[in-house]
Amino acid sequence: MKKFSIRTLIFNLKNLFNIFLLSLILLFACNKDDGIVTPTPESKLIIPLSIGNKWLGMAERLSASGNFISDSPDSIIIIGNTLVDSNYQYILRTANGLLYNCANTDSGLVYYHYNGDYLQFKFPGKVGDIFWTAGNAFKEIISVDTTITTEFGSFSCYHFSQKYTTSPFHTEYFVSPNNGFISIEHYQADGLSSDVYLYSRIRYKPILKK
């Protein structure tokens, strides 16, 4: 029988201990939180609807030549909720006092009206998707990864273009999943002019409850 010296035994034990220590280091390194939160698709919402969430901005009025004319405060606020058929609908209030009941569904954000339910922002969606929103208005998804940079940060956004069957006017919505409204641009014409231009622009600061 081959004999092992004390020195050989100690050497082997040290190697086993080093291997065990290395395994622990690798295990903890793999589980370490790197501080970057990447939501899973299931956890993403196109508009986060917690009560108290708000989007504050300034509505800039522009001339046909692109010159600044005036601005005014603008806001979108989730002020409450209501239980309808065992499901919560959240109450969204705009700066001009309009109230909308809405909820995130498997199709995206839906507005609930007395005369019907209307999909406002399809999510998830793909470029080229077209859907009716209400009346003669419909939206098309132009992009799902447009980066919008404002004084409030940079956001990866869905770009929704709202158009009308009876008018050349259109509105461009830039909405960031889990952040909500980032920018809205209204394009229209003055008077009887057929020339459509950037009429107003709003850039929002998301203020969200954790």
Side-chain angles (χ1 to χ4, degrees):
M1 179 180 294
K2 185 176 181 180
K3 294 183 179 180
F4 290 91
S5 66
I6 296 297
R7 180 176 296 179
T8 301
L9 180 60
I10 293 174
F11 177 80
N12 290 336
L13 288 174
K14 283 184 176 180
N15 283 341
L16 287 173
F17 178 79
N18 289 335
I19 292 172
F20 175 73
L21 184 61
L22 180 60
S23 299
L24 286 178
I25 292 172
L26 291 175
L27 177 63
F28 282 106
C30 291
N31 290 322
K32 184 181 178 181
D33 183 3
D34 59 8
I36 300 173
V37 178
T38 304
T40 61
E42 291 78 9
S43 71
K44 286 187 177 181
L45 300 172
I46 189 65
I47 303 289
L49 293 177
S50 297
I51 296 173
N53 282 359
K54 62 184 70 175
W55 296 266
L56 305 180
M58 296 295 292
E60 298 178 335
R61 171 75 168 84
L62 305 173
S63 70
S65 58
N67 294 323
F68 173 82
I69 295 177
S70 62
D71 60 15
S72 59
D74 194 274
S75 63
I76 300 171
I77 304 174
I78 308 301
I79 63 171
N81 61 19
T82 182
L83 192 62
V84 179
D85 296 330
S86 301
N87 295 308
Y88 278 106
Q89 296 178 9
Y90 289 82
I91 303 169
L92 181 152
R93 185 181 69 198
T94 64
N96 55 8
L98 294 178
L99 300 177
Y100 298 94
N101 280 22
C102 56
N104 286 295
T105 71
D106 291 340
S107 299
L109 186 81
V110 172
Y111 280 9
Y112 298 94
H113 296 263
Y114 66 90
N115 61 344
D117 305 339
Y118 299 98
L119 180 62
Q120 290 298 308
F121 299 110
K122 184 177 181 180
F123 182 80
K126 62 182 185 297
V127 173
D129 283 350
I130 296 175
F131 52 97
W132 292 96
T133 57
N136 67 340
F138 62 94
K139 283 188 176 79
E140 179 180 0
I141 298 179
I142 305 301
S143 169
V144 297
D145 58 358
T146 295
T147 298
I148 298 296
T149 299
T150 71
E151 60 269 39
F152 309 118
S154 294
F155 303 89
S156 178
C157 299
Y158 269 52
H159 175 188
F160 298 92
S161 180
Q162 179 166 303
K163 301 176 183 178
Y164 305 89
T165 58
T166 58
S167 168
F169 296 0
H170 58 98
T171 301
E172 309 302 312
Y173 294 86
F174 298 91
V175 184
S176 175
N178 281 7
N179 293 297
F181 301 98
I182 300 301
S183 180
I184 300 177
E185 299 176 349
H186 298 285
Y187 292 79
Q188 66 181 65
D190 283 328
L192 299 177
S193 172
S194 60
D195 296 327
V196 175
Y197 64 93
L198 178 57
Y199 184 86
S200 67
R201 175 177 55 213
I202 311 169
R203 292 174 176 170
Y204 290 102
K205 177 181 181 180
I207 302 176
L208 309 177
K209 295 185 68 177
K210 299 299 184 181

